[in-house]
Amino acid sequence: MREEELSYKGIHGIPVILEPGNAARVDRSSWRLVRPVYNKDKCTMCKICYTYCPDSAIAWTKEGPVINLTSCKGCMICVEECPTNAMTQEKESS
Amino acid sequence: MKHLLITGNEAAAWGARLIKPHFIPTFPITPQTECIETLARWKVEGDLPDTDFERMESEHSVMSAAIGAAAVGVRVFTATSSQGLMLMHEVLYIASGMRLPIVMVNISRGLSAPVTLWSDHNDFLDQRDSGWIMFHAENNQEVLDMVLQGYRIAEDPRVLLPVMVNMDGYVLSFTDEPVIIPSYEDVKQFLPAYDPQHTITSDRPVTVGPPVMDEYTDYKAQMHLASRNALTVLDEVQNDFEKIFGRRYHTVDEFMLDDAELVLITQGSMSTTAKAAILEMREEGIKVGLLRLRVIRPWPGEIICKALQNVKAIAVIDRNIAPGKGGIMLPEIVESLYHSINRPLVSGFIVGLGGKPQTEAKIKEITHKLANDLASGRPRIEWNDVEVS
Amino acid sequence: MQPIKNIKDIPEFDLLTGGSSVCAGCGPSMGLKLALKVLGPKTIIINSAGCMTLLPLFPNTPLKVSWIHNAIENAATTAAGARHGLDALGIKDMNVVVYAGDGATYDIGFASLSATAIKNERVIYICYNNQAYGNTGFQCTTATPYGSDTKTTPRGKENPIGNTTIHKDMLKLMGVHRVYCATASLAYPVDFLNKINKAKERDGFSYIELLGTCATGWNFDPRYTIKISRLAVRCGMWPLYEIDDRKLSLNKEFKELKPVDEYLQLQGRYKQLPPDGVIKLQSLVNEHWAELNEFNEKRYV
Ligand SMILES: Cc1ncc(C[n+]2csc(CCOP(=O)(O)OP(=O)(O)O)c2C)c(N)n1
Ligand code: SF4
Ligand code: SF4
Ligand code: SF4
Ligand SMILES: [Mg+2]
């Protein structure tokens, strides 16, 4: 492109991100080899899995933890730390 | 408005005092010390009520704190010199890359090793690709005026780049000159209260300075355009400045160029000496003029080219050295003249490193050498002031 | 904010979303997620160049608070500048928080950290210590423990130990700045968050150092991030303590420490450490533990 054809974007040319938390939409599911599987029956609602998920892929609700498989990278910390085996692991199919 | 007999350091401090920055992070270095000491004294005496004067532990941290403060949306001023500017080098690029309108005065001094306290221009010319707008003052009045104008240009949404105002160490920094100090009211009219484009508040979280991938070129292109825009903004600012203060500067300072055959290209304080020498040479019938580079970045190549279109020979006087290459401004000038129809002969003169005084006699000698070069048709590269050869 | 009593008390909002490009199971990113629960939305994080710099990647950011990345060695002074800027604007209720790696803290940024601390700037400095230059591929810093294999202290014929430099006693160094200092571990989140809370309520500088358990660099399966963070505390490699106004308080006391070998065995970076190296490391741990016990609840620095 010729320099004359460049256009100046004003403050939009400043390198900042103005949409807080928009990375939540980024799909990291392809990073996983294994996925966590939640079994409500065994859950004591202790909040450990929620506390330790490094990628905020577990939301805490009245009904307990809800796994977001878009953000989950399959680190298995929740599975390892769940005191009652309410979180187990399952191989990803592909 | 009042008249004071003050040094360049004090003129810089006055510039800061008049625009009332929110934050001044500092670190001392000769020959800049008097500037920050003046501000520190004014602070305790109550003359800078709206300004936060802060001591940092290095120049790297001065610029880092400047960036932190400017990023949350306040006006920042600082001053440095030579080694200090070099230590800032890394963060200068970050200040401009984040498009923060910081204004800094650099009091030029040669770089170690060997150690010198005296002025040459290597310190700031080494920063010329950092994205900062770079001015170079000839005298103490211009130092003050450039600080005022610097904020207008830096903060203009078409620019949003930091501004560096350079002056020669000792020759200006420690020399008293008469300076007109404008009134606060006039300055307020010229530079309205800060309306930052960068703000961080809790209801508007921003991620500043994230890594990018393909967008890198786009951001650099934006910076480049912003810097080019500064040439237009500069003209508008001069109009306003003249209206309010009755003085006007031009992007390049032309002195007796109209009928000049020989032209000296200078920077900074030596230009005053050169102008005096030119007046004397004119009496002798030598058709010599001068072009002083005031704005180093953005590079006003077209203006320079136009100003020099009818001249026969040019001496680019470089008070700097890029070892293994030569004077730094010589190739910049030559590049700007390359496409002109009557390309003049261009000789390069390397002078005044480590503060060697440039006397009228030396300027005359350069002019005579240039006249000889024109007669013989052979340009030269000349080293003045070499003691041991 | 009241102190948190147990995990169930930990606030139920997240200001760091998923979708970032840091490793799966990354301890330092977990640390930031947790810290933000106490810090809340009125926070600016100042980040030094390191692994966490890649949390945002244009055009996406997992951060729901403000974030400034400047360079590697200047997070503390950038934070000081931001604090002065906020003061000038009359904004008093924002937390200015540094989140910086050990390389940025112990090494290249030590001068800027020290100056900011001694001036008691209202900044919370959290060092996530993954015990190496992680972002550049795991090279040795002055926080790297004795005996660790790193890319610049590889084990070999001439030197089977790996890193032979004993790491800086950073907490002690920060303690002499007369600021609030504390260590923390991801395995003790309540303790960690209460320390952040304490720092938040101070009207000055505080320094919190979180063991930045790093599966990638330490070479273990990320599922063990918490297990290893816990063992580090249990075996005395990472004691939990505070220094406040130069007085020491041990936060987790144990009658007996577990042998360090139990901790070392789980991590690739120590796998080949020869027995005399393990003995030396154990003696360093014992010496530090004895010192902490001796000065517990006494003037320490
Ligand atoms: C002046 C400078 N030198 C070197 C680097 C390269 N660099 C980027 S990140 C990094 C490692 C930082 O280590 P640490 O602070 O421990 O953070 P970590 O990467 O472990 O998260 C280095 C050396 C840099 N960015 N700037
Ligand atoms: S596997 Fe890891 S990333 Fe996925 S939900 Fe569990 S803790 Fe979170
Ligand atoms: S850790 Fe296990 S028991 Fe506790 S809340 Fe999570 S799933 Fe339920
Ligand atoms: S290398 Fe370690 S600290 Fe860095 S992103 Fe990966 S897990 Fe986190
Ligand atoms: Mg590290």
Side-chain angles (χ1 to χ4, degrees), chain B residues 54-252:
Chain B
E54 185 61 30
R55 295 159 285 116
M56 304 305 295
E57 91 296 345
S58 73
E59 287 89 351
H60 195 284
S61 284
V62 164
M63 191 43 60
S64 302
I67 289 168
V72 303
V74 301
R75 215 173 239 165
V76 182
F77 174 84
T78 189
T80 190
S81 175
S82 71
Q83 306 304 118
L85 187 64
M86 298 309 280
L87 189 58
M88 283 181 189
H89 183 70
E90 179 197 32
V91 256
L92 293 179
Y93 280 72
I94 294 172
S96 60
M98 288 184 179
R99 311 286 303 277
L100 301 170
I102 298 162
V103 174
M104 172 165 71
V105 172
N106 175 62
I107 295 117
S108 70
R109 162 181 151 188
L111 297 170
S112 298
V115 177
T116 177
L117 296 178
W118 302 90
S119 178
D120 66 37
H121 304 153
N122 259 89
D123 59 356
F124 67 88
L125 289 179
D126 204 70
Q127 321 304 328
R128 70 194 184 283
D129 301 333
S130 65
W132 283 59
I133 307 287
M134 300 185 72
F135 298 150
H136 194 176
E138 178 179 351
N139 53 48
N140 295 351
Q141 182 71 58
E142 200 177 13
V143 169
L144 189 155
D145 293 347
M146 277 179 168
V147 171
L148 305 183
Q149 295 185 1
Y151 281 94
R152 269 288 295 271
I153 293 156
E155 291 170 7
D156 191 293
R158 291 165 289 177
V159 180
L160 289 176
L161 285 170
V163 168
M164 193 185 299
V165 173
N166 297 287
M167 75 169 104
D168 294 353
Y170 286 80
V171 184
L172 294 191
S173 71
F174 292 140
T175 306
D176 280 341
E177 289 183 349
V179 174
I180 303 166
I181 311 287
S183 68
Y184 284 105
E185 295 72 50
D186 284 353
V187 171
K188 202 170 169 192
Q189 198 193 334
F190 175 70
L191 180 74
Y194 189 32
D195 176 20
Q197 306 295 323
H198 297 76
T199 49
I200 289 186
T201 55
S202 50
D203 30 303
R204 185 177 162 275
V206 279
T207 295
V208 182
V212 299
M213 302 294 269
D214 295 341
E215 301 84 2
Y216 189 79
T217 310
D218 296 77
Y219 284 120
K220 291 296 154 185
Q222 288 297 307
M223 276 176 74
H224 175 66
L225 293 176
S227 184
R228 301 304 302 168
N229 285 348
L231 287 173
T232 312
V233 175
L234 194 59
D235 280 340
E236 296 174 12
V237 167
Q238 295 305 349
N239 291 339
D240 286 357
F241 191 85
E242 188 177 16
K243 253 182 245 149
I244 296 169
F245 303 107
R247 292 185 291 286
R248 191 186 180 92
Y249 298 91
H250 298 276
T251 305
V252 297

Side-chain angles (χ1 to χ4, degrees), chain A residues 38 42-49 60 65 82-84 86-87:
Chain A
Y38 173 58
K42 292 189 180 172
C43 179
T44 58
M45 306 284 275
C46 71
K47 263 171 114 176
I48 285 180
C49 55
W60 192 255
C82 173
T84 63
M87 287 282 185

